[in-house]
Amino acid sequence: MGSVTFKRLTPHESRIYDDDGDHVGDVYRQDDILAAGRFYYIVHLFDDPRGPRRVHDRGRIRDVAQSLLDSHPLF
């Protein structure tokens, strides 16, 4: 399929867009309370019955979002 793009809204929130430019989900950065000074990211697509995914490696956010979008049961 196409590729996802992101638009940062705040340092803690970004929007996910599909290759048609539709807003399909969000990414949230959260403080990791088990590791001071570190973060994890929540990738959430709209209407996804599988729920959000937690990503610890910032470099994998695009791959996870693309994989979720490619396999989304409603998109």
Side-chain angles (χ1 to χ4, degrees):
M1 293 201 148
S3 62
V4 296
T5 57
F6 300 89
K7 180 179 180 185
R8 181 177 290 183
L9 301 176
T10 71
H12 296 282
E13 182 178 356
S14 297
R15 289 192 173 163
I16 304 169
Y17 295 93
D18 64 9
D19 56 343
D20 293 328
D22 296 325
H23 178 205
V24 295
D26 296 304
V27 176
Y28 303 99
R29 185 176 84 170
Q30 302 288 318
D31 293 322
D32 188 342
I33 62 170
L34 299 177
R38 301 196 64 190
F39 305 99
Y40 66 91
Y41 303 87
I42 302 296
V43 177
H44 179 67
L45 297 183
F46 301 138
D47 300 324
D48 191 341
R50 300 168 296 183
R53 293 290 158 77
R54 184 182 303 206
V55 179
H56 290 276
D57 181 3
R58 185 176 183 263
R60 290 195 16 85
I61 294 171
R62 181 175 305 280
D63 292 337
V64 170
Q66 185 67 57
S67 175
L68 288 171
L69 189 60
D70 289 346
S71 63
H72 195 291
L74 303 176
F75 289 153

Coordinates of all heavy atoms in Angstrom, one line a residue:
M1 N 0.8 -1.2 0.0 CA 0.0 0.0 0.0 C 0.9 1.2 0.0 O 2.1 1.2 -0.2 CB -0.9 0.0 1.2 CG -2.0 -1.1 1.2 SD -3.3 -0.6 2.3 CE -4.6 -1.4 1.4
G2 N 0.2 2.4 0.2 CA 1.0 3.7 0.2 C 1.8 3.8 1.5 O 2.0 2.9 2.3
S3 N 2.2 5.1 1.7 CA 3.0 5.3 2.9 C 2.3 6.3 3.8 O 1.6 7.2 3.4 CB 4.4 5.8 2.5 OG 4.2 7.1 1.8
V4 N 2.6 6.2 5.1 CA 2.0 7.1 6.1 C 2.9 8.3 6.2 O 4.1 8.3 6.0 CB 1.8 6.4 7.5 CG1 0.8 5.3 7.4 CG2 3.1 6.0 8.1
T5 N 2.2 9.4 6.6 CA 2.9 10.6 6.9 C 2.5 11.1 8.3 O 1.4 10.7 8.7 CB 2.7 11.7 5.8 OG1 1.3 12.0 5.7 CG2 3.3 11.3 4.5
F6 N 3.2 12.0 8.9 CA 2.9 12.5 10.2 C 2.9 14.0 10.2 O 3.7 14.6 9.5 CB 3.9 12.0 11.2 CG 4.0 10.5 11.3 CD1 4.8 9.8 10.5 CD2 3.2 9.8 12.2 CE1 4.9 8.4 10.5 CE2 3.2 8.4 12.3 CZ 4.1 7.7 11.4
K7 N 2.1 14.6 11.1 CA 2.2 16.0 11.3 C 2.2 16.2 12.8 O 1.3 15.8 13.5 CB 0.9 16.7 10.7 CG 1.0 18.2 11.0 CD -0.2 18.9 10.4 CE -0.1 20.4 10.6 NZ -1.3 21.1 10.2
R8 N 3.2 16.9 13.3 CA 3.4 17.1 14.8 C 2.5 18.3 15.2 O 2.5 19.3 14.6 CB 4.8 17.4 15.1 CG 5.0 17.6 16.6 CD 6.4 17.9 17.0 NE 7.1 16.6 16.8 CZ 8.4 16.4 17.0 NH1 9.1 17.4 17.5 NH2 9.0 15.3 16.9
L9 N 1.7 18.0 16.2 CA 0.8 19.1 16.8 C 1.5 19.7 18.0 O 1.4 20.9 18.1 CB -0.5 18.5 17.2 CG -1.3 17.8 16.0 CD1 -2.6 17.2 16.6 CD2 -1.6 18.8 14.9
T10 N 2.0 18.9 18.8 CA 2.7 19.3 20.0 C 3.9 18.4 20.2 O 4.0 17.4 19.5 CB 1.9 19.2 21.3 OG1 1.7 17.9 21.6 CG2 0.5 19.9 21.1
P11 N 4.8 18.7 21.1 CA 5.9 17.7 21.3 C 5.5 16.4 21.8 O 6.2 15.4 21.7 CB 6.8 18.4 22.4 CG 6.5 19.9 22.3 CD 5.0 19.9 21.9
H12 N 4.2 16.2 22.2 CA 3.7 15.0 22.7 C 2.6 14.3 21.8 O 2.1 13.3 22.2 CB 3.2 15.1 24.1 CG 4.2 15.5 25.1 ND1 5.1 14.6 25.7 CD2 4.5 16.7 25.7 CE1 5.9 15.2 26.5 NE2 5.6 16.5 26.5
E13 N 2.3 15.0 20.7 CA 1.2 14.4 19.9 C 1.4 14.7 18.4 O 1.8 15.8 18.1 CB -0.1 15.1 20.3 CG -1.3 14.6 19.6 CD -2.6 15.2 20.1 OE1 -2.6 15.9 21.0 OE2 -3.7 14.9 19.5
S14 N 1.2 13.7 17.6 CA 1.3 13.8 16.2 C 0.1 13.1 15.5 O -0.5 12.2 16.1 CB 2.5 13.2 15.6 OG 3.7 13.8 16.1
R15 N -0.3 13.6 14.3 CA -1.4 12.9 13.6 C -0.8 12.0 12.5 O 0.3 12.3 12.0 CB -2.3 14.0 12.9 CG -3.1 14.7 13.9 CD -4.2 15.5 13.3 NE -5.0 16.1 14.3 CZ -5.9 17.1 14.1 NH1 -5.9 17.6 12.9 NH2 -6.6 17.5 15.1
I16 N -1.5 11.0 12.2 CA -1.1 10.0 11.2 C -2.0 10.2 10.0 O -3.2 10.2 10.2 CB -1.2 8.6 11.7 CG1 -0.4 8.4 12.9 CG2 -0.8 7.6 10.6 CD1 -0.6 7.0 13.6
Y17 N -1.4 10.3 8.8 CA -2.2 10.5 7.6 C -1.8 9.4 6.6 O -0.7 8.9 6.5 CB -1.9 11.8 6.9 CG -2.3 13.0 7.7 CD1 -1.5 13.6 8.6 CD2 -3.6 13.5 7.6 CE1 -1.9 14.7 9.4 CE2 -4.0 14.6 8.4 CZ -3.1 15.2 9.3 OH -3.5 16.3 10.0
D18 N -2.9 8.9 5.9 CA -2.6 7.8 4.9 C -2.1 8.5 3.6 O -2.0 9.7 3.5 CB -3.8 6.9 4.6 CG -5.0 7.6 4.1 OD1 -4.9 8.8 3.7 OD2 -6.1 7.0 4.0
D19 N -1.9 7.7 2.5 CA -1.4 8.3 1.3 C -2.4 9.1 0.5 O -2.0 9.9 -0.4 CB -0.8 7.2 0.4 CG -1.9 6.1 0.1 OD1 -2.9 6.0 0.8 OD2 -1.6 5.3 -0.9
D20 N -3.7 9.1 0.9 CA -4.7 10.0 0.4 C -4.8 11.3 1.1 O -5.6 12.1 0.8 CB -6.1 9.3 0.4 CG -6.1 8.1 -0.6 OD1 -5.4 8.1 -1.6 OD2 -6.8 7.1 -0.3
G21 N -4.0 11.4 2.2 CA -4.1 12.6 3.0 C -5.2 12.6 4.1 O -5.4 13.7 4.7
D22 N -5.8 11.5 4.3 CA -6.8 11.4 5.3 C -6.2 11.1 6.7 O -5.3 10.3 6.9 CB -7.8 10.2 5.0 CG -8.5 10.4 3.7 OD1 -8.9 11.6 3.4 OD2 -8.8 9.4 3.0
H23 N -6.7 11.8 7.7 CA -6.3 11.7 9.1 C -6.8 10.3 9.6 O -8.0 10.2 9.7 CB -6.8 12.8 9.9 CG -6.5 12.8 11.4 ND1 -7.2 13.4 12.3 CD2 -5.5 12.2 12.1 CE1 -6.7 13.2 13.5 NE2 -5.7 12.5 13.4
V24 N -5.9 9.4 9.9 CA -6.4 8.0 10.2 C -6.0 7.6 11.6 O -6.4 6.5 12.1 CB -5.8 7.0 9.2 CG1 -6.4 7.2 7.8 CG2 -4.3 7.0 9.2
G25 N -5.2 8.4 12.3 CA -4.9 8.1 13.7 C -3.9 9.1 14.3 O -3.7 10.1 13.8
D26 N -3.4 8.7 15.5 CA -2.6 9.6 16.3 C -1.4 8.9 16.9 O -1.5 7.7 17.1 CB -3.4 10.3 17.4 CG -4.5 11.2 16.8 OD1 -4.1 12.1 16.0 OD2 -5.6 11.1 17.2
V27 N -0.4 9.6 17.2 CA 0.8 9.1 18.0 C 0.9 10.0 19.2 O 0.9 11.2 19.1 CB 2.1 9.1 17.2 CG1 3.2 8.7 18.0 CG2 2.0 8.3 15.9
Y28 N 1.0 9.4 20.4 CA 1.2 10.1 21.6 C 2.5 9.7 22.3 O 2.8 8.5 22.4 CB 0.1 9.8 22.6 CG -1.3 10.1 22.0 CD1 -2.1 9.1 21.5 CD2 -1.8 11.4 22.0 CE1 -3.3 9.4 20.9 CE2 -3.0 11.7 21.4 CZ -3.8 10.7 20.9 OH -5.0 11.0 20.4
R29 N 3.3 10.7 22.7 CA 4.5 10.4 23.4 C 4.2 10.4 24.9 O 3.6 11.4 25.4 CB 5.6 11.4 23.1 CG 6.9 11.1 23.8 CD 8.0 12.1 23.4 NE 7.9 13.2 24.2 CZ 8.8 14.2 24.3 NH1 9.8 14.2 23.5 NH2 8.6 15.2 25.1
Q30 N 4.6 9.4 25.7 CA 4.4 9.3 27.1 C 5.7 9.1 27.8 O 6.6 8.5 27.3 CB 3.5 8.0 27.4 CG 2.2 8.0 26.7 CD 1.2 9.1 27.2 OE1 1.2 9.2 28.5 NE2 0.5 9.8 26.4
D31 N 5.8 9.7 29.0 CA 7.0 9.5 29.9 C 7.0 8.0 30.4 O 5.9 7.5 30.7 CB 6.9 10.4 31.1 CG 7.1 11.8 30.7 OD1 7.9 12.1 29.8 OD2 6.4 12.7 31.3
D32 N 8.1 7.4 30.3 CA 8.2 6.0 30.8 C 8.6 6.1 32.3 O 9.7 6.5 32.7 CB 9.3 5.3 30.1 CG 9.4 3.8 30.4 OD1 8.9 3.4 31.4 OD2 10.0 3.1 29.6
I33 N 7.6 5.7 33.1 CA 7.8 5.9 34.6 C 8.7 4.8 35.1 O 9.2 5.0 36.3 CB 6.4 5.8 35.3 CG1 5.8 4.4 35.1 CG2 5.5 6.9 34.9 CD1 4.6 4.2 36.0
L34 N 9.1 3.8 34.4 CA 10.0 2.8 34.8 C 11.4 3.1 34.4 O 12.4 2.5 34.9 CB 9.6 1.4 34.2 CG 8.2 0.9 34.7 CD1 7.9 -0.4 34.0 CD2 8.2 0.8 36.2
A35 N 11.6 4.1 33.5 CA 13.0 4.5 33.1 C 13.0 6.1 33.0 O 12.6 6.6 32.0 CB 13.3 3.9 31.8
A36 N 13.5 6.7 34.0 CA 13.5 8.2 34.1 C 14.2 8.8 32.9 O 15.3 8.3 32.4 CB 14.2 8.6 35.4
G37 N 13.6 9.8 32.3 CA 14.1 10.5 31.2 C 13.9 9.8 29.8 O 14.3 10.3 28.8
R38 N 13.2 8.7 29.8 CA 12.9 7.9 28.6 C 11.4 8.0 28.3 O 10.6 8.4 29.1 CB 13.3 6.5 28.7 CG 14.8 6.4 29.0 CD 15.4 5.1 28.8 NE 15.3 4.8 27.4 CZ 15.6 3.6 26.9 NH1 16.0 2.7 27.7 NH2 15.5 3.3 25.6
F39 N 11.1 7.7 27.0 CA 9.7 7.8 26.5 C 9.3 6.6 25.8 O 10.1 5.8 25.4 CB 9.5 9.0 25.5 CG 10.0 10.3 26.1 CD1 11.3 10.8 25.7 CD2 9.2 11.1 26.9 CE1 11.7 12.0 26.2 CE2 9.6 12.3 27.4 CZ 10.9 12.8 27.0
Y40 N 8.0 6.4 25.7 CA 7.4 5.4 24.8 C 6.3 6.1 24.0 O 5.9 7.2 24.3 CB 7.0 4.1 25.5 CG 5.8 4.3 26.4 CD1 4.5 4.2 26.0 CD2 6.0 4.6 27.8 CE1 3.4 4.3 26.8 CE2 4.9 4.8 28.6 CZ 3.6 4.7 28.1 OH 2.6 4.8 29.0
Y41 N 5.9 5.5 22.9 CA 4.9 6.1 22.0 C 3.7 5.2 21.8 O 3.9 4.0 21.7 CB 5.6 6.4 20.7 CG 6.8 7.2 20.8 CD1 8.1 6.7 21.1 CD2 6.7 8.6 20.8 CE1 9.2 7.4 21.3 CE2 7.9 9.4 20.9 CZ 9.1 8.8 21.2 OH 10.2 9.6 21.4
I42 N 2.5 5.8 21.8 CA 1.3 5.0 21.6 C 0.9 5.4 20.2 O 0.6 6.5 19.8 CB 0.2 5.5 22.6 CG1 0.6 5.2 24.0 CG2 -1.1 4.7 22.3 CD1 0.9 3.8 24.4
V43 N 0.7 4.3 19.3 CA 0.3 4.5 17.9 C -1.2 4.0 17.9 O -1.4 2.8 18.2 CB 1.1 3.7 17.0 CG1 0.6 3.8 15.5 CG2 2.6 4.2 17.0
H44 N -2.1 4.9 17.6 CA -3.5 4.5 17.6 C -4.2 4.9 16.3 O -4.2 6.1 16.0 CB -4.2 5.2 18.8 CG -5.7 4.9 18.9 ND1 -6.1 3.7 19.2 CD2 -6.7 5.7 18.7 CE1 -7.5 3.7 19.2 NE2 -7.8 4.9 18.9
L45 N -4.8 3.9 15.6 CA -5.5 4.2 14.4 C -7.0 4.2 14.8 O -7.5 3.4 15.6 CB -5.3 3.1 13.4 CG -3.9 3.0 12.8 CD1 -3.8 1.9 11.7 CD2 -3.4 4.3 12.3
F46 N -7.8 5.1 14.2 CA -9.2 5.2 14.4 C -9.9 3.9 14.0 O -9.6 3.2 13.1 CB -9.8 6.3 13.6 CG -9.2 7.7 13.9 CD1 -8.9 8.6 12.9 CD2 -8.9 8.0 15.2 CE1 -8.4 9.8 13.2 CE2 -8.3 9.3 15.5 CZ -8.1 10.1 14.5
D47 N -10.9 3.5 14.8 CA -11.8 2.4 14.5 C -11.0 1.1 14.4 O -11.4 0.2 13.6 CB -12.6 2.6 13.3 CG -13.6 3.8 13.4 OD1 -14.0 4.0 14.5 OD2 -13.8 4.5 12.4
D48 N -9.9 1.0 15.0 CA -9.1 -0.3 15.0 C -9.5 -1.2 16.2 O -9.1 -0.8 17.3 CB -7.6 0.0 15.0 CG -6.8 -1.1 14.6 OD1 -7.3 -2.3 14.7 OD2 -5.6 -0.9 14.2
P49 N -10.2 -2.3 15.9 CA -10.6 -3.1 17.0 C -9.4 -3.8 17.7 O -9.6 -4.3 18.9 CB -11.5 -4.2 16.4 CG -11.0 -4.2 14.9 CD -10.6 -2.8 14.6
R50 N -8.2 -3.8 17.1 CA -7.0 -4.4 17.8 C -6.5 -3.5 18.9 O -5.6 -3.9 19.7 CB -6.0 -4.6 16.7 CG -6.4 -5.6 15.6 CD -5.5 -5.6 14.5 NE -5.5 -4.3 13.9 CZ -4.8 -4.0 12.8 NH1 -4.0 -4.9 12.2 NH2 -4.8 -2.8 12.3
G51 N -6.9 -2.2 18.9 CA -6.4 -1.3 19.9 C -5.1 -0.6 19.6 O -4.5 -0.9 18.6
P52 N -4.6 0.3 20.5 CA -3.4 1.0 20.2 C -2.2 0.1 20.4 O -2.3 -1.0 21.1 CB -3.4 2.1 21.3 CG -4.3 1.6 22.3 CD -5.3 0.7 21.7
R53 N -1.0 0.5 19.9 CA 0.2 -0.3 20.1 C 1.2 0.6 20.8 O 1.4 1.8 20.5 CB 0.8 -0.6 18.7 CG 0.0 -1.7 18.0 CD 0.1 -3.0 18.7 NE -1.0 -3.9 18.4 CZ -1.1 -4.6 17.3 NH1 -0.3 -4.5 16.3 NH2 -2.2 -5.4 17.1
R54 N 2.0 0.0 21.7 CA 3.0 0.7 22.4 C 4.3 0.5 21.7 O 4.7 -0.7 21.3 CB 3.2 0.2 23.8 CG 4.2 1.0 24.6 CD 4.3 0.4 26.0 NE 3.1 0.4 26.7 CZ 2.9 0.5 28.0 NH1 4.0 0.5 28.8 NH2 1.7 0.5 28.5
V55 N 5.1 1.6 21.4 CA 6.4 1.5 20.7 C 7.4 2.1 21.5 O 7.3 3.3 21.9 CB 6.3 2.2 19.3 CG1 7.6 2.1 18.6 CG2 5.2 1.6 18.5
H56 N 8.5 1.4 21.9 CA 9.6 2.0 22.7 C 10.7 2.6 21.9 O 11.3 3.5 22.4 CB 10.1 0.9 23.6 CG 9.2 0.5 24.7 ND1 9.1 1.1 25.9 CD2 8.3 -0.6 24.7 CE1 8.1 0.6 26.6 NE2 7.6 -0.5 25.9
D57 N 10.9 2.2 20.7 CA 11.9 2.7 19.8 C 11.3 3.7 18.8 O 10.5 3.3 17.9 CB 12.6 1.5 19.0 CG 13.7 2.0 18.1 OD1 14.0 3.2 18.1 OD2 14.2 1.1 17.4
R58 N 11.7 5.0 19.0 CA 11.1 6.0 18.2 C 11.3 5.8 16.7 O 10.4 6.1 15.9 CB 11.7 7.4 18.5 CG 11.1 8.6 17.8 CD 11.8 9.9 18.3 NE 11.2 11.0 17.7 CZ 11.6 11.6 16.6 NH1 12.8 11.2 16.1 NH2 11.0 12.7 16.1
G59 N 12.3 5.1 16.3 CA 12.6 4.9 14.9 C 11.7 3.8 14.3 O 11.7 3.7 13.1
R60 N 10.9 3.1 15.1 CA 10.0 2.1 14.6 C 8.6 2.6 14.4 O 7.7 1.9 14.0 CB 10.0 0.9 15.5 CG 11.3 0.1 15.4 CD 11.2 -1.3 16.0 NE 9.9 -1.9 16.3 CZ 9.2 -2.6 15.4 NH1 9.6 -2.7 14.1 NH2 8.0 -3.1 15.7
I61 N 8.3 3.9 14.8 CA 6.9 4.4 14.8 C 6.3 4.3 13.4 O 5.2 3.8 13.2 CB 6.8 5.8 15.3 CG1 7.2 5.8 16.8 CG2 5.5 6.4 15.0 CD1 7.3 7.2 17.4
R62 N 7.1 4.7 12.4 CA 6.6 4.7 11.0 C 6.3 3.3 10.5 O 5.2 3.0 9.9 CB 7.6 5.3 10.0 CG 7.1 5.4 8.6 CD 8.1 6.1 7.7 NE 8.4 7.5 8.1 CZ 7.5 8.5 7.9 NH1 6.4 8.4 7.3 NH2 7.9 9.7 8.4
D63 N 7.2 2.3 10.8 CA 6.9 0.9 10.4 C 5.7 0.3 11.1 O 4.9 -0.4 10.5 CB 8.2 0.1 10.8 CG 9.4 0.4 9.9 OD1 9.2 1.0 8.8 OD2 10.5 0.2 10.4
V64 N 5.5 0.6 12.4 CA 4.4 0.1 13.1 C 3.1 0.7 12.6 O 2.1 0.0 12.3 CB 4.5 0.4 14.6 CG1 3.3 0.0 15.4 CG2 5.7 -0.5 15.2
A65 N 3.1 2.0 12.4 CA 1.9 2.7 11.9 C 1.5 2.2 10.5 O 0.4 1.9 10.2 CB 2.1 4.2 11.8
Q66 N 2.6 2.0 9.6 CA 2.3 1.5 8.3 C 1.8 0.1 8.3 O 0.8 -0.3 7.6 CB 3.6 1.5 7.4 CG 3.4 1.1 6.0 CD 2.5 2.1 5.2 OE1 2.8 3.3 5.2 NE2 1.4 1.7 4.7
S67 N 2.3 -0.8 9.2 CA 1.9 -2.1 9.3 C 0.4 -2.2 9.8 O -0.4 -3.0 9.3 CB 2.8 -2.9 10.3 OG 2.3 -4.2 10.5
L68 N 0.1 -1.4 10.8 CA -1.3 -1.3 11.3 C -2.2 -0.9 10.2 O -3.3 -1.4 10.1 CB -1.3 -0.4 12.5 CG -0.7 -0.9 13.8 CD1 -0.7 0.2 14.9 CD2 -1.5 -2.2 14.3
L69 N -1.8 0.1 9.5 CA -2.7 0.7 8.4 C -2.9 -0.4 7.3 O -4.0 -0.6 6.8 CB -2.1 2.0 7.8 CG -3.0 2.7 6.9 CD1 -4.3 3.1 7.6 CD2 -2.3 4.0 6.4
D70 N -1.8 -1.0 6.9 CA -1.9 -2.0 5.9 C -2.8 -3.2 6.2 O -3.4 -3.8 5.4 CB -0.5 -2.6 5.5 CG 0.3 -1.6 4.8 OD1 -0.2 -0.5 4.3 OD2 1.6 -1.8 4.7
S71 N -2.8 -3.5 7.5 CA -3.6 -4.7 7.9 C -4.9 -4.3 8.7 O -5.6 -5.2 9.2 CB -2.8 -5.6 8.9 OG -2.4 -4.9 10.0
H72 N -5.3 -3.0 8.6 CA -6.5 -2.5 9.3 C -7.7 -3.2 8.7 O -7.9 -3.2 7.4 CB -6.6 -1.0 9.2 CG -7.6 -0.4 10.1 ND1 -8.9 -0.6 10.0 CD2 -7.4 0.4 11.2 CE1 -9.6 0.1 10.9 NE2 -8.6 0.7 11.7
P73 N -8.6 -3.8 9.5 CA -9.7 -4.5 8.9 C -10.8 -3.6 8.2 O -11.6 -4.1 7.5 CB -10.3 -5.2 10.1 CG -9.8 -4.5 11.3 CD -8.5 -3.9 10.9
L74 N -10.8 -2.3 8.5 CA -11.8 -1.4 8.0 C -11.3 -0.4 6.9 O -12.1 0.2 6.2 CB -12.5 -0.6 9.1 CG -13.1 -1.5 10.2 CD1 -13.7 -0.6 11.3 CD2 -14.2 -2.4 9.6
F75 N -10.0 -0.3 6.7 CA -9.4 0.6 5.8 C -9.1 -0.1 4.5 O -8.6 -1.1 4.4 CB -8.2 1.4 6.3 CG -8.5 2.4 7.4 CD1 -7.5 2.7 8.3 CD2 -9.7 3.0 7.5 CE1 -7.7 3.6 9.3 CE2 -9.9 3.9 8.4 CZ -8.9 4.2 9.3

